[in-house]
Amino acid sequence: MKYYIIAGEASGDLHGANLMKALYKEDSKAEIRFWGGDLMQAAGGNLVKHYKELAFMGFIEVLFNLKTILNNIKIAKKDILEFQPDVIVFIDYPGFNLRIAKWAKTLNIKTHYYISPQIWAWKENRIIDIKRDVDQMYVILPFEKEFYENKHHYPVHFVGHPLIDAIHNQPKVDAAIFRSENQLNEKPIIAILPGSRKQEITKMLSVMLSVVHDFPDYQFVIAGAPSQEFSFYEKFITNDNIKFISNKTYSLLQVATAALVTSGTATLETALFKVPEVVCYKGSWASYQIAKRIITLKYISLVNLIMDQEVVTELIQDDCTTQRIKEELTAILDNKHRNQLLAKYDQLEQLLGGIGASQKTAQLIIADLK
């Protein structure tokens, strides 16, 4: 069968790649065309557009890039018509994907959504579009099933979280070899995960690295995003206690003692690798003012949302200062605090449904098509 997959961000590329591997395993004749990134490309199929051409962050930034976004929608529609897929599989990225889903339904193309838009956080009225335009929804967070089925009477499949698969399949790292290969010394490692988009990296790295002088017995290692060149990060590496590693975040987390993490999927990845973390987030002033008026969630990190309690500290906007980061990083380096946090991480993993999300989703997609 023919599958058309659209992922618009780094996390979507990871989950899209694992889904593609599962589809190829379940359907030996699968033909896949996709929007995604390097990981999906490595899994096979034909890349139409890389996500780094699609990722715009924040309300104001989207407005400035509206012409590019509309042109990409036009390109996608044309390419789908030429490919004639049996199904389109959307991965998160709702502003773009829901537009394509609405159009695809008018042509009677099957529409499946893997990794729900976070309509429980904001734009809940998108449920109208989802119920109308999405044939099958596969959710990865345990509370999403209740949200869709009990609150909105829309049946969905809870398949578990694909990060469990991704981390379970990650080769184990030899710490000594990793340090040697990446010119790291013997000091304990504080991993710095500042996001994947230039706007957020620029915003976050300066404040995250402002505490380096307060922790001389540790080395701070920036996890470089695959979509960005080293030259972009170079200006932030201001002393010998700041290191840089590109596109090896999972390996880095295996050897890290603690982490400073920008909100998003990385907060959950860090927790699943059992690394104590502080969540840091600063947006542009305008985007933040808009967001805080329309997003009513108690937390911004997936760890806290899933657990429905403050497991990891969140330093947001004006709270995200050198002094506060210093205080919270000191706290998670304390053994008693660390052990309490790691126990919560074990509970978190149990809630997420175990391994097999990609395989379950692929099997459900194929069963529906048949």
Side-chain angles (χ1 to χ4, degrees):
M1 282 177 280
K2 297 169 78 172
Y3 308 84
Y4 199 98
I5 303 175
I6 304 177
E9 299 174 298
S11 60
D13 181 39
L14 171 66
H15 303 320
N18 287 329
L19 178 62
M20 286 169 67
K21 290 172 189 173
L23 285 168
Y24 282 128
K25 184 178 178 182
E26 297 291 327
D27 178 2
S28 60
K29 295 182 180 178
E31 294 179 49
I32 302 177
R33 197 162 172 82
F34 65 91
W35 295 49
D38 299 341
L39 296 174
M40 291 174 77
Q41 197 163 19
N46 295 298
L47 174 68
V48 181
K49 228 176 211 318
H50 200 287
Y51 70 77
K52 65 186 177 185
E53 298 179 56
L54 310 175
F56 302 107
M57 177 190 171
F59 304 97
I60 305 303
E61 293 81 4
V62 166
L63 284 175
F64 280 128
N65 291 283
L66 193 56
K67 185 177 178 182
T68 301
I69 294 166
L70 292 173
N71 188 53
N72 284 334
I73 289 170
K74 185 177 177 182
I75 291 167
K77 289 178 179 179
K78 182 175 183 291
D79 196 61
I80 290 165
L81 285 174
E82 290 174 358
F83 185 58
Q84 289 291 301
D86 294 293
V87 62
I88 304 173
V89 181
F90 304 103
I91 300 180
D92 201 357
Y93 198 53
F96 188 92
N97 277 335
L98 287 174
R99 284 173 178 243
I100 300 297
K102 181 179 181 180
W103 166 83
K105 280 299 289 182
T106 66
L107 301 174
N108 293 317
I109 301 171
K110 288 208 171 191
T111 53
H112 289 209
Y113 219 117
Y114 179 44
I115 305 178
S116 165
Q118 295 177 352
I119 65 169
W120 35 265
W122 71 301
K123 290 194 175 181
E124 190 168 343
N125 62 346
R126 278 177 165 164
I127 187 62
I128 297 166
D129 298 336
I130 288 170
K131 290 173 83 169
R132 183 190 64 222
D133 300 328
V134 176
D135 295 321
Q136 300 289 341
M137 173 70 76
Y138 310 102
V139 301
I140 63 172
L141 299 172
F143 62 79
E144 289 178 321
K145 186 171 177 67
E146 182 181 348
F147 170 84
Y148 275 110
E149 296 189 344
N150 293 2
K151 186 172 184 180
H152 292 292
H153 312 293
Y154 175 67
V156 300
H157 307 275
F158 173 59
V159 293
H161 205 294
L163 278 181
I164 303 285
D165 289 350
I167 290 169
H168 180 78
N169 295 331
Q170 179 72 9
K172 295 292 180 272
V173 167
D174 181 296
I177 293 172
F178 182 81
R179 287 171 183 269
S180 175
E181 287 177 347
N182 293 285
Q183 291 79 54
L184 303 179
N185 56 43
E186 292 305 309
K187 291 180 180 180
I189 292 168
I190 308 293
I192 306 292
L193 279 62
S196 59
R197 304 180 185 97
K198 284 187 175 180
Q199 293 153 262
E200 66 184 343
I201 294 168
T202 300
K203 203 88 176 172
M204 296 312 308
L205 266 182
S206 296
V207 67
M208 286 172 150
L209 294 172
S210 67
V211 300
V212 169
H213 295 291
D214 296 303
F215 297 89
D217 296 330
Y218 294 83
Q219 56 188 321
F220 289 70
V221 183
I222 301 167
S227 55
Q228 308 299 342
E229 300 294 330
F230 170 68
S231 56
F232 173 69
Y233 294 93
E234 204 165 4
K235 59 183 174 289
F236 298 100
I237 303 171
T238 54
N239 68 52
D240 291 341
N241 240 18
I242 302 172
K243 314 289 184 182
F244 174 84
I245 296 175
S246 181
N247 200 19
K248 295 180 184 176
T249 302
Y250 280 11
S251 297
L252 175 61
L253 287 173
Q254 288 188 52
V255 299
T257 298
L260 301 177
V261 187
T262 298
S263 66
T265 306
T267 63
L268 184 56
E269 290 170 317
T270 303
L272 291 174
F273 273 109
K274 309 300 167 66
V275 181
E277 66 182 300
V278 180
V279 177
C280 308
Y281 183 76
K282 273 181 180 283
S284 69
W285 182 86
S287 288
Y288 177 70
Q289 293 303 318
I290 296 168
K292 76 176 185 177
R293 285 163 173 77
I294 62 174
I295 298 175
T296 57
L297 296 175
K298 287 189 288 186
Y299 308 110
I300 65 166
S301 72
L302 281 172
V303 175
N304 292 345
L305 284 167
I306 294 164
M307 293 290 286
D308 195 27
Q309 59 179 282
E310 189 177 43
V311 173
V312 296
T313 299
E314 300 178 351
L315 301 178
I316 306 168
Q317 209 67 8
D318 294 339
D319 287 332
C320 190
T321 63
T322 301
Q323 183 59 31
R324 291 288 284 119
I325 293 172
K326 177 185 173 183
E327 291 169 3
E328 296 302 332
L329 184 53
T330 299
I332 64 172
L333 291 171
D334 173 75
N335 280 335
K336 183 180 178 182
H337 190 115
R338 287 174 64 81
N339 291 335
Q340 291 171 345
L341 193 50
L342 293 174
K344 292 288 187 182
Y345 283 175
D346 289 339
Q347 294 174 30
L348 169 75
E349 189 167 359
Q350 290 173 13
L351 282 174
L352 289 174
I355 63 172
S358 306
Q359 208 70 31
K360 288 175 201 167
T361 305
Q363 289 167 352
L364 287 166
I365 291 170
I366 291 166
D368 182 75
L369 295 180
K370 287 180 177 177

